[in-house]
Amino acid sequence: MFYWLMKYVVIGPVIKAVFRPWIVGRRNIPGDGAAILASNHLSFSDSIFLPLMIDRRMAFLAKSDYFTGRGLKGWATRLFFTATGQLPIDRSGGKASEASLNTGLGVLGRGELLGIYPEGTRSPDGTLYRGRTGIARMALEARVPVIPVVMVDTGAVMPIGQRLPRVGRVGIVIGEPLDFSRFEGMESDRYILRSVTDEIMVALQRLGEQRYEDVYASTVKDRLASAQAAKAPSARH
């Protein structure tokens, strides 16, 4: 009830009036049953616009850090993420990754929609990067279709590091569902998982025509951070 109240009464109407989001391919989302919505990731706001523009309720797996803040700001952040269907997960790896997988499978097991960013993090420069295989494992274990989703211009409205959004129009393009039932029972084969993940990334690239680079976005972010750190001492001299 709280989710729908925020979507249709409190937050949703304001966001739609300000940003005038458009959507293409809404019919590709099934009216019922579980499915994974696999999206490129340009901005923090992706997790706001996509749930807002589809009729069914959906959940995203979000960093647990967003739910652990203190004080008024922490409370407001938790409230906002809960209202927009976010589920806290630990991204530290190991057992935490397994727990995240189980959280996602729980959503799919209830016949709901689960949003996943295969790149694992926001693109630092608008390029589409290599996908993580967790999405493939979820799709094969839950035996659900994967629907490619491309967010358009959300990076311009709210770039990485910017606290408040700029006013601008954003869009969403939803592609046809991808069926991986031919790989049923192969969710433990790492080569199959990589093949499925790559197929998802190819579908995203074709749908959005983003430039693609076969390297993890997190690796690119680490390189950029190292380069900035190396420049910092010289800038002080």
Side-chain angles (χ1 to χ4, degrees):
M1 181 65 183
F2 182 60
Y3 176 91
W4 299 113
L5 180 66
M6 298 297 282
K7 179 173 180 174
Y8 290 114
V9 179
V10 182
I11 296 177
V14 175
I15 292 177
K16 284 185 176 180
V18 174
F19 297 99
R20 298 176 298 128
W22 54 268
I23 184 169
V24 174
R26 200 195 315 252
R27 61 179 176 77
N28 288 322
I29 297 178
D32 54 50
I36 293 174
L37 273 60
S39 174
N40 64 332
H41 198 12
L42 304 175
S43 167
F44 168 85
S45 64
D46 295 332
S47 300
I48 301 170
F49 287 112
L50 181 54
L52 178 64
M53 295 302 292
I54 64 174
D55 297 328
R56 292 181 59 188
R57 176 170 183 158
M58 66 173 295
F60 269 106
L61 301 182
K63 288 191 298 184
S64 57
D65 300 16
Y66 292 133
F67 296 82
T68 57
R70 297 182 178 180
L72 181 60
K73 181 180 179 181
W75 173 82
T77 302
R78 284 193 300 276
L79 180 67
F80 179 80
F81 272 79
T82 301
T84 52
Q86 315 293 310
L87 297 174
I89 60 166
D90 185 342
R91 295 182 178 178
S92 58
K95 291 184 178 180
S97 296
E98 193 69 22
S100 300
L101 174 74
N102 291 333
T103 299
L105 289 175
V107 173
L108 297 171
R110 294 193 295 271
E112 299 174 4
L113 299 177
L114 177 67
I116 298 179
Y117 300 117
E119 293 166 277
T121 186
R122 285 172 288 180
S123 171
D125 55 8
T127 298
L128 184 68
Y129 289 102
R130 195 176 201 225
R132 302 280 181 174
T133 58
I135 186 173
R137 187 175 166 191
M138 279 193 200
L140 297 188
E141 285 201 20
R143 300 179 183 179
V144 298
V146 176
I147 303 170
V149 177
V150 172
M151 306 302 297
V152 181
D153 291 334
T154 52
V157 166
M158 195 169 186
I160 294 177
Q162 184 165 310
R163 291 179 177 272
L164 296 175
R166 303 166 181 164
V167 176
R169 200 167 188 202
V170 303
I172 302 170
V173 181
I174 301 174
E176 296 183 358
L178 304 174
D179 178 14
F180 296 108
S181 58
R182 63 190 184 279
F183 298 121
E184 185 175 319
M186 300 182 187
E187 58 270 14
S188 297
D189 188 320
R190 62 191 181 97
Y191 296 105
I192 293 296
L193 295 182
R194 173 44 57 193
S195 176
V196 169
T197 304
D198 289 345
E199 186 173 334
I200 293 169
M201 301 313 292
V202 167
L204 283 173
Q205 194 281 324
R206 289 177 175 171
L207 191 64
E209 298 183 348
Q210 276 179 272
R211 185 171 70 89
Y212 177 79
E213 190 170 340
D214 194 28
V215 62
Y216 292 122
S218 58
T219 301
V220 176
K221 284 186 173 182
D222 289 342
R223 289 176 185 168
L224 292 173
S226 297
Q228 289 175 353
K231 290 179 180 179
S234 60
R236 290 196 292 266
H237 291 293

